[in-house]
Each structure stands twice: as C-alpha cells, then as structure tokens.
Amino acid sequence: MQSTNTLLKRIVRSSVLPLAAQHGMKKDLFPLSRTLSLSFCLKQDKSCSPSEKLDLDAWKKVMKSGLQEEVSEMVSEHKELSSLAGAREILEMWRLAGRSVPENITEDQLKGFMECPSKSAQKKYLKFLYLKELYKKNDKRKMDKKRERRLETEERACKTDGTKRNSFICLWTNCMDRAYSWRVAQSMIFGQPLVFDMSYEKDMSVREVANTVRQLVLSEGCNRRSVDPFHIHFCNLKNDSLYQKEFIKHYREAWGKLLVTATEQCYTEIFPKDKLIYLTADSPKVMKTFDHNKIYIVGSMVDRSIKTGVSLARAKRLGLETAALPLEKYLLWNTGAKNLTLDQMMHILLTLKDTGDWKKALEFVPKRKYTGFVSKPVHELKKTLSLINTLKLGKAQEEVRKQFAKNYSKKLMQK
Amino acid sequence: IQPPEKPLQSEEWNRLKESFQSPEIFEEVMFNSMVRCNSPIDVAKSLLTHVAKRNGDITYNLLLKYLALCVQQGQTSEIRDVYDIMKIRFKILEGGAYNLIIRGLSNSDQWRMALTLLEEVKKIMVPSRTNYESCITAASRHKEMKLAFGLYREMLAKDLVPTLDVLHTLFDFSRGMKGAELQKELFGILLYLRENQIYPHKTFMRSIKLWFESIPGGNWRGHLTNITDSGQCPVCNHQLEDSDLTEEEYNNLRERIIRDVIHGTDTFRKTSPQEFEAFQTFVENRLPFDIVIDGLNVSHIKPRRMQCENLSDAVNCLAKENVRLLVLGRKHMLMNSSNWRQEIMKEMQNKADFFFAENISEDDAFLLYATLQSGQHCKFVTRDFLRDHKACLSDSLTRHLFRKWQRGHQISKKMFLSVFIQQPACRYDCVVQTTGDTWHIPYKDHFEEKYSYQVPKKWLCIQQK
C-alpha cells in the first residue's frame, strides 16, 4: 500500500498528469494516461510494434517508474535485518503471494513460527493463526451488526414507550447461578465423585493442553447445570503446571471459587482402590451398566496423534480396573477414533447417571462417527447401510458392503 | 473462464470483468486459467497493462502468476524483466518466486544467472531442493560436472534429499567423460544409494549401465540378471554379501529394540515390568532357539480351520531334526474353546516351548526380543510386516538395520494346497554393492513400485574385464 501511495505522490509531483491528480484517479481519465505512457514508451523503446495500438509492456514502465527514490531510501533503512524482522518480511511476502498467513502477527507468534522444526510445521502453524484471525474478524463483524440491530430496536422501543408489568424482577441469570451453585455445593458433600486425571501434561503439546483445559471448562459447565451433578475432582493437578495456568486463563479469579476439588494428590490416595474404574477406549473390558457406587476416572488428555495405550498403561501401573464405553455394541461405527472429547464424556456420564439409558447417553457421540443405533431391527439397518454406501462409493463396492452387513447381522443374531 | 486468444484493450477487459460473477478476484482467476491453458504471453501482458493503468500497481500475486506463465513457455527475457521489477518493488522475494525464476533461467542459455540467484536465496533462507536440482541439471547439461557435483554435495550437506531424477541426470550427462575425480563422485552416488537402501528404477539403471560402459579405457561390461536364492550372480559367479549384521550392529539393534520398542515411553504400554522380567528369565533358561513363532498370527492363516489346527500344522512342519522352537501366544489360548482345543495344545507343547503373555500385552515385542537374544542363526515366523515396531525406532540408521535384519530372518509362509511351503528368508543382502572390479545393483522394474517390504529380484551386474 505504501508503495502505491508513493507512486501516486510521484504522479502528482510529475507535471505530466496535473489534471488527473486534481480530479483524483477517476476511471474516465485512464484512457488519457494510457496514451500518455504510450507516447512515453515509444520515445524510449522502439521494439514494440507501431502497428499495434496496444502497448504490451506499458505495465513494466508503470511498475518501474517512481520507484527509484524509494529504493534508495529502502537500502539505507534496511541494511541489517534482525532475524525477527527478516521473518516478518518473509511472512509479508508469503501473504502477498496468496498463502494462508495472518495479517497481524505478534512477537510471540513470530517466535513460535521461527521455532517450528520444519517447513510443513511452519505452514501449519501459520494456517492455524490465519484461521484464528479470520474467525475473530467474522465474530467481530457479527457483533457489530448485532449491536446495530439492538440499538435500532431500543430506539423503536423508546418511541412506543412500553411499560411492561412483571411480577419477577429481571434477575434470571443471577438466580439461576445461585441455584446451580447450591446444587453443586450439595454434590460436593453427598454427590458421586468423578475424577479427572491431570497427569498427561508431558504427553501433550502446548496446544493440546490448551484444548484439554477448554474441554474441561466445558465439562465443568455442563456438570454445574445438570440436575444431579458429580463432585468433580481434578487429581494430580500440580501447582504451576501448564494445566493450572490454562485454567487460570479461562476462569480468572473464579478459579479459586470453583466448586470442584483440585488436588495435587493422586486418586489412589483419596479413594479406595477397589472402587476406582479408569475409563479408557483401549480397555479390553466393556462397561455394561453405570455403577453409582464406583468412582470413574477420565484421563484429561487430548491426543491428536493417537497415542494408543497411554491411559491404559497408567491404569495398569496402578493396578486399577478399566472400562470402555460400549460404543461397538450400541452404535454402528462409521469413521473416527473411539476416543471422545472430555465434554462428550461428561454428557454421557451425566445422562447415564440420571437415566441409565445407553441409547440416550450415546446420543452425545458425534453423529459423523456412527451411522445408526444397533437397537433398530437388523433389516432396517442393512437398508441404511447399503443406501449410504451406494451414495458414497458407487455400485461396484456395494456388493462388498452388503456382504459385510450380512455378516454383521449374523454376528448380532449369535449374540 | 476461458482466457481470450488475443490481447484486449482496457475497455474490453473491463467488460469481461463486469460480466464475471465475482469481479474482485477476476484477475487472479483469469491468470490461473491462462496458466492452465498456456495462453499466449501477449494476452497476459495486456491484462497486466490494464491492471497497471487502473491501479498504478500490480500485486505480487499477479506478478507471480505471470512469472509462472513465462516459465512455462520459456520466455527468458520476460523472466528477467519480471525479476528486475520484483527486485525494485519488494525488499525481498519469497521462495515461490525464486523457485520459478531459477527453474525458468536454468532451462535457458542464461543458466549462469540461476546460480547467482541461488546465492541470493542462500542469504535469506535454505534453498529448496528444486532450486538445487534446477541448477544441477543446468550445470550438467552444459557439461560443467565439477560445478554440478559441488552443488550436489552442498545440497546433501544441507540435509536435502535429492530425487532420483537428479541423480539420473548426473549419470546421463557424465557419459563418455574422462577423469578420476568424476568417477569418484559417481561412485559416491552409488554408495549413497547403498547407504539409504534406495533402488534405482529401470531407466535410471540403464543410464548407470551406459555410463559404466562409456568410461574410456574402463572396459566395464554390464549385464541384466536375476539372482537366485543362493545369492550367487549367474553372470560373474560372484557371491553377494550376506544379510548378517556385524556383531556391533547386531548388539546395537538388540539394545535399541529393548529400549525403544519394548520399553518405549512406558513399559506398561506394551507389557508390564513383571511380565517382561518373567519372559526374560524364561528365555534365558531355554536359549538358544532356532525358530520363534508368532502363535496367534500363524493360527489365522486359514480362516476356515480351527485356529489351533493351523498352529499345530505350522509347528509340525517346522519341528524336525533337533530344531528348537518357541511359540509365543496369549493366555486365552489356554482356555478350552471351540478354536483352542486343549488336547491339541498339550500335544504341541511336547514339540515346542510355549510362552503365554497376558491377553492385553503385545506379543510381537516378545517375538523380537526372543529372536534377537538367540543369536544370528535364529529366524522368526509371522506374516506381520512389523511396521509399527520399526516406526518405534527413533533414527533412520537403526530402522535400516532393522529392515535388513528382518529381511534376513523373517520366514513368512504361503499356503499352497493346504501344505505349508516355507518361504525362505533372503540369504543375501539386497543393496547396491561393490568389490572394486564388480558392481551389483538391484533395480525396480517400474517407477512406482513402492512396497517397502518388497526387495527387487532383478539386478544389474557390472564387471571390469
């Protein structure tokens, strides 16, 4: 942009186009400027054919003109680039070249970029920042629009002058908060404990830890709003750990007042071992019913790189009982890993606790991961399966799938 | 959208732009389709002129696309012009532009300019491998082999992996040239293939052969051949290197397997310390074994039969003349079930040693340990490619060792008329090898043969008369 400005300035300064400068760069003036530069070019360069009216190399003149002085300025300014500034410049060029690079980048992000071990890691990191920026911008735009609309309605409301009568004073959120807190406080005394095992920090990247804490915050929120909340324990949560820092980032001063038990102790020190059940997708044992007398443990871990057996290894080391959700039994699994996010686990466990209904509870498994519930009659199931496959794969593979569905139904019959 | 065939006036471009559905990206889309359709360069120029007139500037993005078009059509003077413009317009250029310019110039008679550009790139970043490869190709095309090899060595020093194409080019253009130095460099490439266990494809192999035969006064002759299981070359009767590892390599590999595969980040992930210790003492007391069998893997060979029958077939087939067998399995095999008949299991236990791991432990890790502990003569039986275990090894050198060891010691079995046919492990080592006056080079028939577990059967034998 800066270069364009200097170019414009230069055009203004040059006596050739005083008229254009006075009127601003309007569209109707362009034919004029073209002929001008055409004659300019003819003087210097005889190579372009006079028979053609169009000067094909005129753009080069435009690009080259008005830059000489700027170049000399630049050279004096940027003799020695520090590595950070150098990286910033490279990023700017990438952005100009149309790659997914954020417009604004902070010093920390720039350092993060330079610490990336490979070119593809750099690319990924930049794309992440770029998308983040994009979402932020969109959100801001939406907020602005909303505010505008609200102002408009308020104006209208002022005009009509509505004096509403209501027996409640409008304090909904406050009251709700208090009611929720009361329930959670009760659960802290009488409720069933639910443990989040916070000992996976070394198995995760910084971004994964941030994601984990975000999921934990969501789980805490949905627990608070439930009818019969769990008594949440964050065990093995070390002071000054990355987890803790992220928590404080999310909750700010509310972190100290949160109605959960956060402790550096391990769950084996707090609860009797025979009551603990570690929930992990790798467990060979499948959970049949929700036991109200047991204490379930969920590993607070996001593994984007699918490290199998990490939490199972932990349970084995401590000699705890393990269990996996009966996903295979109730759902016709389609794609995706069997590990669920922490807030999904929370929803499922809360529903199980309230109703004991697997079908209701497993509604919280993302829909993209399964094609249907197995509780349906088998022939109906087969129909959906083949339909999906004809849509997805075309006819050739349909036969194979049909065979699969047949075998599957056979398996079900045996059970 | 279809780009126009002739240069257009500004008004005509304006009209086109207005008729386009999203005018703000009109130029980009137009340029993209020009590159795709390989439109005449004049058309692109006229659009650039139009843009320059309207905005007084052309974005970097558009210049880049124009540059791509020029490179595609080999317009050297245009490439230089665009480079000059970019140079005065922007403080630095990014890698994409340099890639295009270097590629464009290296294909022209101004290829030396590409070299100076390469130097320029080095100042701001690590050049990409295409940068180097363009320059190397250009230099070798002009018979400046010294320069080409200099760049090649520089590239390797920067940890860039050359493509087979560029190695191919080096052989192609060195054909018929004299010089001990050059010969050494090309032998260096062959040794690079050896160290990284890379197999050339057919055309590359041909160019290696032609180069050998073209060395003045070298008297090299090349023959294509198949090498039999015994590992003897039918052309020159030379015995190929065997696949045994050296003592040091072997010990190294064994330690790394224990450290990275069995223990890894957490011993509990694959087994448990107690179980591993129990297994260790079990193995120590019965060493050495001759064949270690992955019981569960073998028991699934024929899906229609009972699993224990499959296993007992395998054990019966392998148990002869004082061969010491070890079968690895899991505890659930000991439970009487429709697949695991206890009387058959009892019978087998007379013929072989059995070790049963916990049901949730990984028996493959035990397989590797027991085989490596028994010594170089010990083989193992499984159809598994063991890729996930290879991936646990942290550096590529050990992974190569593992692959070599696996090739030499894994027996996989094929079913043939319900009899087990033992597919013997490769007795010779399948890499590029030399004795000084002979070279043996394995090659792939097709360019796209990619299975890492398959080794080529076809060889190029080169000998000096």
Side-chain angles (χ1 to χ4, degrees):
Chain A
M1 269 303 80
Q2 194 202 343
S3 57
T4 330
N5 285 340
T6 33
L7 182 71
L8 278 175
K9 254 188 257 158
R10 157 87 185 191
I11 294 171
V12 174
R13 258 182 268 147
S14 68
S15 55
V16 191
L17 290 170
L19 196 68
Q22 273 168 20
H23 286 79
M25 302 301 277
K26 274 186 195 161
K27 238 188 194 174
D28 49 333
L29 283 170
F30 275 99
L32 175 69
S33 71
R34 192 182 66 234
T35 44
L36 277 173
S37 58
L38 181 69
S39 57
F40 184 57
C41 132
L42 278 174
K43 257 183 248 162
Q44 287 190 338
D45 191 2
K46 278 166 194 159
S47 68
C48 61
S49 57
S51 64
E52 248 187 320
K53 252 188 120 185
L54 203 64
D55 173 23
L56 291 172
D57 286 334
W59 61 277
K60 286 183 193 166
K61 307 273 149 43
V62 176
M63 294 299 284
K64 279 177 187 167
S65 66
L67 279 160
Q68 267 22 18
E69 46 192 309
E70 202 188 334
V71 169
S72 54
E73 275 167 35
M74 252 157 44
V75 170
S76 58
E77 262 176 55
H78 296 274
K79 260 189 183 158
E80 282 288 300
L81 284 175
S82 71
S83 61
L84 267 182
R88 205 178 271 275
E89 298 231 316
I90 284 267
L91 286 190
E92 179 58 21
M93 291 317 287
W94 282 359
R95 204 173 66 78
L96 288 179
R99 293 214 215 168
S100 309
V101 174
E103 226 168 290
N104 304 305
I105 189 161
T106 64
E107 201 95 316
D108 282 342
Q109 287 169 339
L110 207 59
K111 267 179 203 149
F113 163 74
M114 282 164 64
E115 278 160 15
C116 286
S118 67
K119 272 189 185 171
S120 60
Q122 287 183 338
K123 235 184 250 174
K124 249 184 221 164
Y125 183 64
L126 286 177
K127 182 144 191 207
F128 163 70
L129 293 179
Y130 170 75
L131 287 177
K132 212 163 119 182
E133 196 180 47
L134 204 69
Y135 292 142
K136 232 180 196 170
K137 259 189 220 160
N138 282 345
D139 282 350
K140 198 167 176 267
R141 216 184 43 226
K142 272 179 208 159
M143 290 279 276
D144 287 348
K145 230 178 224 169
K146 219 175 175 180
R147 192 176 303 132
E148 245 170 60
R149 222 177 302 145
R150 201 175 53 220
L151 284 175
E152 249 172 53
T153 48
E154 263 170 31
E155 256 174 51
R156 224 173 291 150
C158 279
K159 277 174 199 160
T160 52
D161 184 43
T163 40
K164 285 177 217 156
R165 272 159 222 278
N166 207 330
S167 53
F168 295 110
I169 309 163
C170 226
L171 279 172
W172 273 108
T173 44
N174 203 348
C175 284
M176 290 305 276
D177 272 350
R178 243 184 257 169
Y180 289 145
S181 301
W182 170 246
R183 275 208 296 243
V184 181
Q186 277 212 314
S187 86
M188 284 190 72
I189 307 170
F190 306 110
Q192 184 179 0
L194 177 73
V195 177
F196 284 101
D197 182 7
M198 318 290 276
S199 54
Y200 297 102
E201 200 174 296
K202 59 179 192 315
D203 295 305
M204 287 189 281
S205 67
V206 178
R207 226 169 114 193
E208 283 171 335
V209 173
N211 289 345
T212 309
V213 169
R214 208 188 158 82
Q215 290 178 11
L216 285 172
V217 170
L218 286 175
S219 328
E220 192 271 329
C222 87
N223 182 55
R224 195 184 336 165
R225 271 184 281 282
S226 72
V227 187
D228 182 15
F230 282 107
H231 175 195
I232 294 182
H233 286 73
F234 291 129
C235 289
N236 294 322
L237 180 62
K238 300 278 176 293
N239 269 330
D240 292 326
S241 59
L242 213 49
Y243 278 124
Q244 174 111 359
K245 275 177 205 152
E246 284 288 327
F247 267 129
I248 290 169
K249 222 194 244 171
H250 269 283
Y251 282 112
R252 310 246 168 84
E253 43 301 348
W255 171 241
K257 290 182 265 175
L258 213 57
L259 292 173
V260 296
T261 304
T263 168
E264 289 200 10
Q265 278 179 304
C266 185
Y267 31 84
T268 45
E269 295 165 28
I270 308 177
F271 302 108
K273 253 191 183 179
D274 54 326
K275 277 201 159 188
L276 293 169
I277 295 184
Y278 210 114
L279 294 176
T280 160
D282 297 317
S283 170
K285 277 188 208 121
V286 173
M287 200 168 154
K288 286 213 176 68
T289 50
F290 183 85
D291 192 337
H292 293 268
N293 296 317
K294 295 279 188 194
I295 294 149
Y296 290 98
I297 308 169
V298 180
S300 306
M301 177 180 179
V302 169
D303 54 339
R304 286 162 172 273
S305 52
I306 309 290
K307 300 180 189 89
T308 42
V310 174
S311 54
L312 184 66
R314 197 162 164 74
K316 256 203 251 171
R317 180 192 296 275
L318 296 169
L320 299 177
E321 204 180 316
T322 60
L325 292 181
L327 299 175
E328 291 274 74
K329 195 175 156 197
Y330 289 96
L331 302 174
L332 199 51
W333 201 259
N334 188 21
T335 55
K338 299 254 166 57
N339 50 2
L340 302 174
T341 62
L342 300 171
D343 50 315
Q344 284 159 12
M345 272 315 271
M346 191 61 159
H347 275 297
I348 290 171
L349 290 174
L350 279 170
T351 319
L352 280 178
K353 190 177 177 215
D354 289 346
T355 62
D357 183 352
W358 279 107
K359 200 180 162 205
K360 233 182 192 172
L362 295 182
E363 287 284 342
F364 291 103
V365 177
K367 298 275 181 295
R368 65 172 188 282
K369 288 194 174 183
Y370 63 94
T371 48
F373 277 91
V374 179
S375 52
K376 275 193 215 169
V378 173
H379 65 269
E380 215 172 287
L381 235 164
K382 254 198 282 182
K383 243 193 272 169
T384 33
L385 236 185
S386 63
L387 186 72
I388 285 164
N389 288 318
T390 33
L391 290 177
K392 242 199 221 164
L393 308 159
K395 268 205 169 156
Q397 275 163 316
E398 190 189 350
E399 288 305 309
V400 184
R401 299 289 148 161
K402 254 187 197 163
Q403 199 64 38
F404 168 76
K406 212 168 152 191
N407 288 342
Y408 197 87
S409 60
K410 219 189 266 169
K411 230 195 247 171
L412 288 178
M413 306 276 238
Q414 280 171 1
K415 274 176 193 166
Chain B
I1 52 169
Q2 197 67 28
E5 278 161 21
K6 286 210 177 78
L8 298 186
Q9 298 283 351
S10 278
E11 296 79 40
E12 294 170 292
W13 280 120
N14 271 333
R15 226 171 295 138
L16 260 183
K17 181 172 176 166
E18 272 153 29
S19 65
F20 187 62
Q21 49 200 1
S22 44
E24 60 275 13
I25 54 162
F26 169 75
E27 284 90 7
E28 276 176 52
V29 176
M30 183 50 97
F31 259 106
N32 281 345
S33 74
M34 280 186 205
V35 173
R36 200 170 49 242
C37 306
N38 206 5
S39 310
I41 204 161
D42 285 349
V43 182
K45 277 185 184 173
S46 79
L47 179 54
L48 279 182
T49 308
H50 165 64
V51 173
K53 293 281 171 54
R54 199 189 49 213
N55 303 343
D57 190 17
I58 298 170
T59 58
Y60 184 71
N61 197 1
L62 287 191
L63 283 178
L64 214 56
K65 287 181 191 201
Y66 176 63
L67 190 60
L69 191 67
C70 296
V71 171
Q72 196 169 309
Q73 302 181 359
Q75 306 270 3
T76 314
S77 65
E78 278 303 310
I79 295 170
R80 291 202 59 160
D81 276 357
V82 177
Y83 171 66
D84 289 341
I85 286 173
M86 282 182 164
K87 246 349 231 194
I88 45 175
R89 204 48 151 168
F90 304 101
K91 283 174 210 158
I92 50 169
L93 306 186
E94 44 81 58
Y98 278 119
N99 274 351
L100 283 168
I101 298 168
I102 291 179
R103 180 142 56 90
L105 291 178
S106 65
N107 286 327
S108 71
D109 47 357
Q110 300 189 24
W111 62 277
R112 278 192 192 276
M113 168 117 181
L115 295 179
T116 49
L117 275 174
L118 185 67
E119 292 303 316
E120 204 176 300
V121 177
K122 273 186 220 159
K123 274 180 213 151
I124 51 171
M125 60 190 145
V126 180
S128 67
R129 88 169 173 193
T130 42
N131 288 160
Y132 272 110
E133 293 191 344
S134 313
C135 291
I136 292 173
T137 316
S140 49
R141 192 180 295 127
H142 294 86
K143 298 278 173 194
E144 299 238 9
M145 297 320 285
K146 212 167 196 174
L147 182 62
F149 278 108
L151 288 170
Y152 169 70
R153 264 177 318 210
E154 201 178 298
M155 179 179 180
L156 288 188
K158 291 200 160 107
D159 277 336
L160 296 169
V161 181
T163 54
L164 284 186
D165 285 341
V166 97
L167 304 180
H168 188 173
T169 326
L170 285 173
F171 271 97
D172 264 349
F173 287 108
S174 314
R175 200 175 299 158
M177 284 172 102
K178 238 185 178 169
E181 194 72 4
L182 179 73
Q183 233 177 74
K184 220 173 110 193
E185 293 282 9
L186 287 165
F187 284 158
I189 293 183
L190 290 176
L191 291 178
Y192 175 81
L193 295 181
R194 174 189 167 90
E195 262 150 43
N196 293 288
Q197 304 196 13
I198 301 169
Y199 310 117
H201 48 87
K202 211 170 186 173
T203 40
F204 184 13
M205 176 278 297
R206 221 167 263 144
S207 110
I208 294 174
K209 180 170 176 276
L210 287 176
W211 173 73
F212 266 108
E213 288 170 348
S214 76
I215 298 175
N219 278 331
W220 291 93
R221 277 289 152 269
H223 298 276
L224 304 188
T225 174
N226 290 316
I227 285 182
T228 50
D229 290 339
S230 63
Q232 198 178 39
C233 173
V235 181
C236 60
N237 291 328
H238 170 71
Q239 183 70 33
L240 294 186
E241 285 175 41
D242 62 26
S243 61
D244 285 349
L245 307 184
T246 63
E247 188 92 0
E248 197 192 337
E249 286 173 334
Y250 192 82
N251 290 334
N252 191 8
L253 179 67
R254 188 172 55 194
E255 270 157 37
R256 295 298 295 276
I257 291 270
I258 293 173
R259 202 185 75 195
D260 291 349
V261 178
I262 297 176
H263 292 305
T265 53
D266 188 349
T267 318
F268 282 96
R269 277 175 77 171
K270 290 200 170 145
T271 165
S272 68
Q274 295 92 330
E275 190 184 27
F276 184 57
E277 212 170 285
F279 179 67
Q280 269 180 317
T281 44
F282 172 87
V283 171
E284 296 310 327
N285 290 337
R286 290 171 175 76
L287 277 179
F289 297 105
D290 297 310
I291 296 175
V292 182
I293 302 169
D294 184 349
L296 279 172
N297 189 297
V298 169
S299 71
H300 283 93
I301 280 185
K302 258 192 136 189
R304 295 276 166 76
R305 296 185 80 196
M306 226 191 292
Q307 287 174 8
C308 62
E309 278 183 345
N310 276 329
L311 182 58
S312 90
D313 275 357
V315 170
N316 287 335
C317 165
L318 292 168
K320 53 193 170 189
E321 310 139 30
N322 295 331
V323 177
R324 289 184 59 85
L325 292 179
L326 170 65
V327 181
L328 292 169
R330 294 215 179 101
K331 287 210 165 127
H332 71 78
M333 291 158 74
L334 287 171
M335 307 278 275
N336 205 356
S337 68
S338 60
N339 262 322
W340 297 101
R341 285 293 176 68
Q342 285 320 292
E343 56 274 17
I344 302 180
M345 290 298 286
K346 282 265 163 56
E347 198 190 313
M348 271 192 283
Q349 286 182 36
N350 293 330
K351 290 176 188 160
D353 281 315
F354 272 72
F355 183 84
F356 297 100
E358 291 294 332
N359 290 339
I360 51 171
S361 296
E362 287 217 21
D363 47 358
D364 289 348
F366 292 144
L367 178 86
L368 295 178
Y369 177 80
T371 316
L372 281 166
Q373 206 66 22
S374 297
Q376 290 259 24
H377 72 285
C378 183
K379 307 260 194 296
F380 63 96
V381 185
T382 176
R383 287 180 305 170
D384 199 305
F385 293 122
L386 305 174
R387 280 180 281 221
D388 45 344
H389 302 294
K390 193 181 80 186
C392 290
L393 297 168
S394 45
D395 65 313
S396 63
L397 193 76
T398 324
R399 265 179 259 165
H400 282 315
L401 275 185
F402 181 76
R403 184 105 63 78
K404 184 177 170 184
W405 173 76
Q406 187 188 1
R407 270 204 302 268
H409 294 82
Q410 180 165 14
I411 303 171
S412 59
K413 315 189 110 245
K414 275 188 183 159
M415 281 302 295
F416 182 69
L417 291 172
S418 86
V419 189
F420 282 102
I421 301 290
Q422 194 170 319
Q423 209 182 34
C426 223
R427 237 174 286 158
Y428 55 92
D429 191 17
C430 193
V431 286
V432 175
Q433 43 194 277
T434 180
T435 57
D437 57 350
T438 60
W439 280 88
H440 287 89
I441 300 163
Y443 66 93
K444 293 185 286 190
D445 239 346
H446 302 288
F447 186 64
E448 302 91 357
E449 257 175 55
K450 278 209 180 120
Y451 302 109
S452 63
Y453 57 88
Q454 275 179 349
V455 288
K457 291 265 174 248
K458 298 192 167 171
W459 289 71
L460 168 67
C461 162
I462 299 171
Q463 47 181 327
Q464 202 165 22
K465 291 256 160 70

